[in-house]
Amino acid sequence: MARLNLLLLIAVLGSAVYLVHTQYLSRQLFTELHRIELEARRLELDRDRLQVEKRAQATPLRVEKLAKEQLKMRTTTPAITQYVRADGTVIPAVAPPPATTPAGRAAPSKGAH
């Protein structure tokens, strides 16, 4: 009988130790989860702030101003635009002047009556 009581006492003590250990691990995991949730909220707020800042920085007028001032870019016009064919020949964007006849008059265009 004494052996059975001793065996039951050891089983109860083992269960108690296991329960305390499990509760300790549970509390540790809960604390870590809480810390991770706080970090996630902080990162979400940072992302929202960056989105607002990005929208403010990406206005067309600001982008154009930065392109002109810092990158020395300029607005394209037909006078400075050239198109390049696949074979490498350059086609000016500005239409060439109309062809003239030997008498110095402009040649009639196609479709004109």
Side-chain angles (χ1 to χ4, degrees):
M1 191 63 143
R3 285 185 185 179
L4 181 61
N5 286 341
L6 183 61
L7 186 62
L8 288 175
L9 179 65
I10 291 173
V12 168
L13 287 175
S15 295
V17 169
Y18 179 75
L19 179 65
V20 169
H21 176 71
T22 303
Q23 286 178 341
Y24 173 76
L25 288 178
S26 173
R27 182 67 187 159
Q28 196 175 26
L29 290 173
F30 177 77
T31 304
E32 186 177 343
L33 177 65
H34 182 68
R35 186 179 20 214
I36 289 171
E37 287 173 344
L38 288 176
E39 177 72 10
R41 267 190 238 121
R42 186 187 65 78
L43 290 173
E44 185 71 23
L45 285 173
D46 286 348
R47 186 186 68 79
D48 290 343
R49 276 191 226 120
L50 286 173
Q51 290 293 334
V52 169
E53 187 176 330
K54 183 177 95 173
R55 277 187 235 114
Q57 298 292 325
T59 60
L61 291 176
R62 185 172 188 287
V63 171
E64 184 178 350
K65 179 183 171 191
L66 289 172
K68 285 181 179 177
E69 292 175 0
Q70 293 183 6
L71 301 176
K72 307 297 183 217
M73 296 176 85
R74 56 187 178 178
T75 307
T76 60
T77 62
I80 61 172
T81 304
Q82 291 183 339
Y83 298 100
V84 180
R85 288 193 178 126
D87 63 2
T89 58
V90 177
I91 308 164
V94 177
T100 58
T101 61
R105 294 182 300 181
S109 62
K110 289 187 176 182
H113 297 104

